[in-house]
């Protein structure tokens, strides 16, 4: 006989006219190896089919099931209920648009981020279908793999006070994304071009250094190091740049 | 959140270095101010060694015009730093509410520390002004005058009748802790944003330094009260 869990769950469907945001309690019995993902599915199957939440992979790869668990952004599939008290709260991530209950739309936000950060390899090399791929040093490959692990769950954005109060801030995930291309030798962008993308208050210089991203990243990406690297690199690049101003008066 | 290509953003982009300069200036002014604070506390702590050393140091600073240049420069730095750091603080009520709510909900250590930094900044700003006003009004600094000030029991000692409250001791203890807290964690944050080091190790080193500096400050305050107690009635003011 497992513990009796009480999950206090945020409920609100913006699509139902007149629906009011509220907290609703669900009770269920805990069993061996239960994750919050399993618990929520049990609730949806057996108690309340109207409960909305996102999931796809249940293995911390898709980044869909991020939510505030007892106030902290985490992945539901990577959170064992045994780590939590018998009564806890679940709420949707802030910053992102609420779809309903625990489900938020991270897609639109991240799509916009990809465009702003120009998150693709910029190269002028013509692709030759017949040639062998250019080999990459193992060390470089490992270095790129590190920031590349980002699953775009949005935990770092939700945990960031700056992202919460300044909607234009690109967040740790955005700076980390630029870092990924900065260290990729295939990307031919100059530092000045990267600076154009991220060398401003909405980018790397907007970070206050609260490090909730670093502490709460479900993939344990070393965000402190990556963010500081981008900041140093962009500061060095920016100091060398020459901008022509527009005289407005 | 897509950056609108309107007139303002286009013009701002052409001044593309502003954000970098402002961010750098905030960090640099912060580092200079914490450097000033720690040096200041070491100088004040010479009182623990001997009042004579304290006096000689004070005279030396005046003789070489370090005080005359240093004090206005520090005031200017403080103004610049307040102006630059303000843009990072949650200034709208809505932002304050989000900040408080998120900090409370996440219960995340570094986020709470930052909330404390915003609050301590207000204390430091006001108290530094009061401190400077009093110091400059009683220039030059000597062990005896400083001791009298620290030990005085009210803003205007005898006009408050029998009421005696160790006003300046309380004032300086709060000022010391607020200043050290703000500066110590401020330096931590600057190093986190720019540096290479692991922030957990760095955090412990800076906490250690902060405890030492606060300890020195408390020791200096205690020594001042002892000196004041041993001064002849009314105090001999040099």
């Amino acid at each position: 006989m497992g513990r009796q869990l009480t999950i206090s769950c945020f409920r609100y469907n913006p699509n139902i006219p007149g629906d009011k945001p509220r907290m609703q309690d669900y009770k269920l019995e805990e069993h061996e190896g239960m994750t919050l993902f399993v618990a929520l599915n049990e609730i949806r199957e057996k108690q309340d089919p109207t409960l909305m939440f996102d999931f796809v992979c249940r293995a911390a790869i898709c980044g869909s099931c991020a939510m505030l668990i007892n106030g902290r952004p985490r992945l539901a599939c990577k959170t064992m209920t045994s780590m939590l008290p018998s009564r806890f709260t679940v709420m949707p991530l802030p910053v992102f648009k609420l779809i309903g209950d625990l489900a938020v739309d991270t897609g639109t936000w991240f799509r916009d981020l990809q465009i702003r950060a120009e998150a693709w390899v910029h190269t002028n090399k013509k692709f030759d279908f017949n040639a062998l791929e250019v080999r990459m040093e193992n060390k470089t490959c490992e270095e790129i793999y590190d920031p590349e692990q980002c699953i775009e769950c949005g935990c770092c954005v939700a945990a960031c006070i700056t992202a919460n109060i300044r909607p234009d801030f690109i967040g740790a995930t955005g700076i980390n994304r630029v870092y990924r291309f900065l260290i990729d030798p295939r990307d031919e962008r100059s530092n000045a071009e990267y600076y154009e993308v991220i060398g401003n208050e909405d980018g790397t210089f907007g970070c206050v250094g609260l490090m909730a991203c670093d502490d709460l990243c479900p993939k344990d990406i070393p965000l402190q190091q990556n963010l500081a690297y981008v900041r140093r690199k962009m500061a060095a690049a920016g100091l060398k740049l020459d901008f022509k101003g527009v005289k407005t008066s | 959140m897509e950056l609108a290509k309107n007139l303002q953003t286009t013009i701002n982009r052409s001044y593309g270095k502003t954000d970098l300069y402002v961010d750098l200036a905030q960090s640099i002014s912060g580092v200079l101010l914490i450097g000033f604070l720690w040096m200041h506390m070491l100088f004040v702590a010479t009182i623990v060694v001997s009042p004579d050393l304290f006096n000689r140091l004070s005279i030396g600073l005046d003789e070489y015009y370090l005080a005359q240049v240093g004090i206005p420069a520090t005031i200017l730095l403080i103004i610049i730093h307040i102006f630059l750091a303000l843009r990072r603080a949650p200034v709208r009520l809505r932002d304050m509410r989000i900040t408080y709510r998120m900090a409370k909900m996440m219960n995340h250590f570094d986020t709470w520390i930052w909330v404390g930094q915003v609050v301590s900044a207000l204390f430091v700003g006001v108290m530094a002004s009061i401190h400077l006003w009093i110091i400059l009004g009683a220039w030059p600094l000597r062990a005896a005058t400083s001791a009298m000030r620290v030990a005085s029991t009210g803003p205007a000692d005898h006009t408050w009748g029998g009421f005696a409250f160790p006003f300046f001791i309380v004032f300086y203890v709060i000022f010391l802790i607020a200043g050290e807290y703000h500066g110590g964690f401020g330096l931590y944050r600057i190093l986190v944003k720019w540096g290479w080091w692991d922030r957990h190790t760095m955090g412990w080193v800076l906490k250690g330094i902060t405890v030492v500096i606060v300890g020195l400050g408390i020791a200096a305050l205690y020594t001042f009260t002892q000196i004041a107690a041993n001064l002849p009635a009314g105090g001999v003011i040099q």
Side-chain angles (χ1 to χ4, degrees):
Chain A
M1 179 86 179
R3 281 192 304 172
Q4 175 85 2
L5 295 179
T6 309
I7 305 181
S8 180
C9 187
F10 178 86
R11 299 299 311 272
Y12 176 56
N13 187 342
N15 296 317
I16 298 176
D19 196 24
K20 295 259 185 323
R22 64 198 182 277
M23 299 300 285
Q24 187 175 337
D25 283 1
Y26 295 101
K27 288 188 194 331
L28 78 163
E29 197 192 313
E30 187 179 40
H31 54 70
E32 184 91 25
M34 185 186 240
T35 64
L36 182 58
F37 160 83
V38 172
L40 288 173
N41 270 297
E42 266 190 38
I43 292 170
R44 181 147 68 182
E45 269 168 37
K46 294 176 185 164
Q47 298 183 33
D48 189 347
T50 66
L51 180 64
M52 289 188 278
F53 60 92
D54 287 327
F55 68 91
V56 181
C57 78
R58 54 107 186 94
I61 294 164
C62 75
S64 302
C65 64
M67 54 186 72
L68 294 182
I69 303 167
N70 251 358
R72 289 197 160 202
R74 287 165 164 281
L75 296 178
C77 68
K78 215 189 167 186
T79 304
M80 306 291 287
T81 51
S82 58
M83 290 157 49
L84 295 163
S86 57
R87 185 189 169 86
F88 58 90
T89 60
V90 281
M91 295 178 105
L93 290 186
V95 182
F96 303 102
K97 188 186 163 202
L98 183 68
I99 294 171
D101 299 342
L102 305 172
V104 289
D105 173 15
T106 50
T108 309
W109 196 97
F110 276 97
R111 166 75 187 152
D112 188 47
L113 166 74
Q114 307 295 355
I115 298 166
R116 282 177 60 195
E118 300 190 13
W120 57 89
V121 171
H122 290 50
T123 177
N124 290 319
K125 286 202 185 75
K126 223 176 160 206
F127 186 66
D128 183 356
F129 293 92
N130 300 314
L132 276 175
E133 272 185 272
V134 180
R135 283 184 170 249
M136 189 183 269
E137 286 290 322
N138 207 31
K139 191 172 166 286
T140 317
C141 191
E142 275 171 3
E143 277 169 11
I144 296 173
Y145 178 70
D146 194 36
E148 182 76 17
Q149 287 182 84
C150 175
I151 55 173
E152 302 189 347
C153 60
C155 282
C156 60
V157 179
C160 174
I161 297 290
T162 308
N164 270 273
I165 64 180
R166 310 231 194 286
D168 287 332
F169 181 55
I170 201 166
T173 180
I175 302 170
N176 181 65
R177 181 53 49 98
V178 172
Y179 170 75
R180 181 242 171 277
F181 290 99
L182 253 176
I183 59 168
D184 190 332
R186 292 168 299 178
D187 197 310
E188 292 166 354
R189 271 182 281 185
S190 66
N191 281 342
E193 285 170 289
Y194 283 115
Y195 186 88
E196 181 75 14
V197 166
I198 205 172
N200 52 54
E201 285 274 272
D202 294 331
T204 186
F205 302 128
C207 167
V208 187
L210 301 184
M211 290 294 119
C213 55
D214 190 53
D215 283 330
L216 297 172
C217 175
K219 301 301 280 185
D220 295 322
I221 299 173
L223 289 168
Q224 184 212 335
Q225 305 298 335
N226 298 0
L227 264 52
Y229 177 91
V230 174
R231 204 187 197 104
R232 291 193 300 265
K233 200 91 178 160
M234 287 301 100
L239 288 174
K240 284 186 207 138
L241 291 177
D242 184 24
F243 283 96
K244 295 264 183 304
V246 180
K247 280 236 155 72
T248 51
S249 59
Chain B
M1 91 182 218
E2 164 79 65
L3 272 185
K5 292 281 186 288
N6 58 24
L7 176 66
Q8 289 305 330
T9 46
T10 311
I11 290 171
N12 286 339
R13 281 180 96 64
S14 63
Y15 291 119
K17 286 187 179 191
T18 320
D19 290 355
L20 164 62
Y21 285 150
V22 166
D23 194 47
L24 266 181
Q26 187 195 344
S27 290
I28 292 170
S29 61
V31 169
L32 289 174
L33 283 170
I34 189 74
F36 162 77
L37 176 62
W38 285 354
M39 203 177 64
H40 176 298
M41 291 320 294
L42 286 178
F43 284 0
V44 170
T46 54
I47 194 73
V48 181
V49 183
S50 84
D52 193 42
L53 182 62
F54 181 91
N55 284 339
R56 269 189 291 153
L57 189 63
S58 175
I59 293 165
L61 288 176
D62 281 350
E63 262 176 11
Y64 291 98
Y65 295 100
L66 289 170
Q68 290 87 331
V69 176
I71 293 171
T74 309
I75 295 173
L76 191 66
L77 262 180
I78 292 174
I79 293 171
I80 292 171
H81 188 74
I82 291 174
F83 180 70
L84 296 178
L86 255 184
R87 80 193 201 291
R88 288 286 166 72
V91 276
R92 292 188 299 175
L93 187 64
R94 171 186 166 275
D95 296 346
M96 290 181 197
R97 196 179 283 148
I98 293 174
T99 304
Y100 176 70
R101 199 174 280 166
M102 280 309 289
K104 197 171 153 215
M105 207 152 66
M106 289 195 300
N107 203 15
H108 174 249
F109 187 73
D110 277 33
T111 303
W112 267 128
I113 288 292
W114 179 70
V115 173
Q117 266 188 293
V118 176
V119 176
S120 62
L122 300 173
F123 278 82
V124 175
V126 173
M127 295 179 105
S129 310
I130 297 172
H131 174 65
L132 272 163
W133 187 256
I134 294 167
I135 291 287
L136 294 177
W139 208 261
L141 281 182
R142 296 294 176 267
T145 45
S146 293
M148 286 300 290
R149 183 178 77 248
V150 168
S152 69
T153 50
D157 264 331
H158 303 292
T159 53
W160 284 20
F163 180 69
F165 182 74
F167 180 82
F168 274 99
I169 284 287
V170 174
F171 175 87
Y172 276 117
V173 168
I174 297 173
F175 187 30
L176 174 71
I177 292 171
E180 260 308 313
Y181 175 93
H182 187 83
F185 282 113
L187 184 61
Y188 163 78
R189 211 165 296 291
I190 291 166
L191 294 174
V192 159
K193 287 193 291 187
W194 294 97
W196 293 258
W197 312 282
D198 172 66
R199 66 193 175 93
H200 299 289
T201 333
M202 197 166 69
W204 283 113
V205 172
L206 286 172
K207 276 176 207 154
I209 296 176
T210 301
V211 168
V212 170
I213 299 281
V214 170
L216 280 178
I218 300 282
L221 284 175
Y222 176 75
T223 314
F224 277 131
T225 57
Q226 294 305 301
I227 293 172
N230 292 327
L231 283 175
V236 176
I237 297 184
Q238 293 176 7

